Amino acid sequence: MKRVKVSSPGKLMLMGDHAVVHDRQCLVTAVNQRLWVTIEETSQTGEILIDAPDVGLDQFVVSLKQGELTDLPKAAKFVVQAIRNFDQFHPVKTGLHLTTASDFNATFGFGSSSAVTVASIKALAELQQLALSEAQLFKLAYQTVLDIQGVGSGFDLAAAIWGGTLLFSTGGKEIRPLVVKNLPLVVGYTGVKADTATLVKQVGGFLSAAPELVTPIFDTIQESVIQAEQDLEETNWAHLGQLMNLHQGLLNALGVSSPELERLVFAARSAGAYGAKLSGAGGGDCMIALVDNKTRSVVEEAIQTAGGQVLPVELSAPGIKVEE
Ligand code: PMV
């Protein structure tokens, strides 16, 4: 029976949060915290056996073809739906034993659902010796995310597949790798787990109710993404910091910041960061602060004193890899 092991990285949204769900662009980077999926064929045809200790699944059995996913933990839903979507195009003729392992805590908001989705599909393709292109992998993974979550731009899937730092447009219309040298960021975790789908729907509701107010906010976020891309190229950290602060103000205006995020953001700025903003959907999860060698340790300390946890991550990490 064949066995394949694949790893994919987590991600951090740099700029473009929320606006990218509404036909605009964002900047995303892959982080050096990875998630591993091992899939082994079994003789139990039609059955998926899941061991995912990080999300509390031990020898969990689910049908490959049918059954509601509502009772499953979130990570398992993505895995099972990914396998079912793959099976529609490339029938799976054996049983499957899937095991996951992860560097990162699923509560950090580094994108464990997207990482596990792309890794599962890639592992299945490898088992069938199928040359799935990156674009095909993205398409299947994006369909899976929409099936489960109903909303999302797909930026996290692109980071998990391509790695590095990317300019990304809604639904993967444009995915362009950027050359970014040593972006000096500090990442602070609020300790609060956010629910991305709920926040995305909330902002979507705000847009529908008041397009004349929300559309200009998205347009300004889009412009900040374009200017930030240039700042990354020119390593213009002072300007990029300003853009991050502006972006944070706009996310606050959209209603997705939180007292915990604001505390960490203001602590970082007071300690001398060029700029700071939340990263992702908001409501909790992580914030990022742009620093330099002189301010890094003071900013890290300030984030900790304000109740945050500094997460040691490296950016522009490699994308999906077949490990064994
Ligand atoms: O909460 P995260 O880290 O998964 O980021 C969500 C980013 C949004 O722009 C709000 C949603 C999306 O799919 O782009």
Side-chain angles (χ1 to χ4, degrees), residues 222-293:
Q222 167 65 25
E223 178 59 30
S224 76
V225 168
I226 293 169
Q227 294 193 18
E229 188 196 344
Q230 191 163 352
D231 291 339
L232 284 176
E233 214 167 278
E234 296 167 1
T235 60
N236 188 347
W237 301 152
H239 190 253
L240 180 57
Q242 266 179 2
L243 293 176
M244 289 169 70
N245 291 342
L246 175 105
H247 198 321
Q248 172 61 22
L250 298 172
L251 290 168
N252 194 336
L254 290 173
V256 298
S257 194
S258 71
E260 293 82 8
L261 282 164
E262 292 295 328
R263 249 198 307 280
L264 304 193
V265 162
F266 277 93
R269 289 180 195 162
S270 304
Y274 289 114
K277 67 181 276 290
L278 67 84
S279 167
D285 286 350
C286 289
M287 50 75 70
I288 51 178
L290 187 62
V291 297
D292 59 24
N293 285 340

Side-chain angles (χ1 to χ4, degrees), residues 28-45:
V28 57
T29 191
V31 297
N32 67 334
Q33 306 256 318
R34 300 184 79 80
L35 187 140
W36 285 268
V37 170
T38 305
I39 304 187
E40 202 169 358
E41 292 177 344
T42 71
S43 53
Q44 306 299 114
T45 305

Side-chain angles (χ1 to χ4, degrees), residues 7 18 71 87 92 96 102 175 185 194 199 211 253 291 298 301 311 317:
S7 79
H18 283 286
D71 299 335
D87 178 59
V92 176
L96 300 171
S102 164
I175 299 173
L185 282 189
L199 288 154
V291 297
V298 192
E301 227 176 279
L311 304 179

Side-chain angles (χ1 to χ4, degrees), residues 3-9 34-40 48-54 75-76 78-80 82-83 96-104 112-127 320-324:
R3 180 176 181 273
V4 172
K5 186 174 184 179
V6 172
S7 79
S8 56
R34 300 184 79 80
L35 187 140
W36 285 268
V37 170
T38 305
I39 304 187
E40 202 169 358
I48 309 170
L49 172 65
I50 305 174
D51 278 305
D54 292 332
F78 283 89
V79 164
V80 175
I83 295 173
L96 300 171
H97 178 198
L98 185 141
T99 310
T100 67
S102 164
D103 279 339
F104 53 88
S112 47
S113 308
S114 44
V116 83
T117 303
V118 298
S120 300
I121 296 171
K122 179 72 177 171
L124 287 176
E126 287 294 313
L127 277 180
I320 197 157
K321 263 193 222 166
V322 179
E323 305 276 359
E324 285 168 22

Side-chain angles (χ1 to χ4, degrees), residues 11-13 16-21 26 109-111 149 151-156 168 194-196 199-200 279-282 285:
K11 58 83 184 90
L12 265 181
M13 174 75 95
D17 330 50
H18 283 286
V20 68
V21 179
C26 75
F110 278 162
Q149 213 165 258
V151 287
S153 65
F155 80 108
D156 39 7
F168 176 89
D195 182 23
T196 298
L199 288 154
V200 169
S279 167
D285 286 350

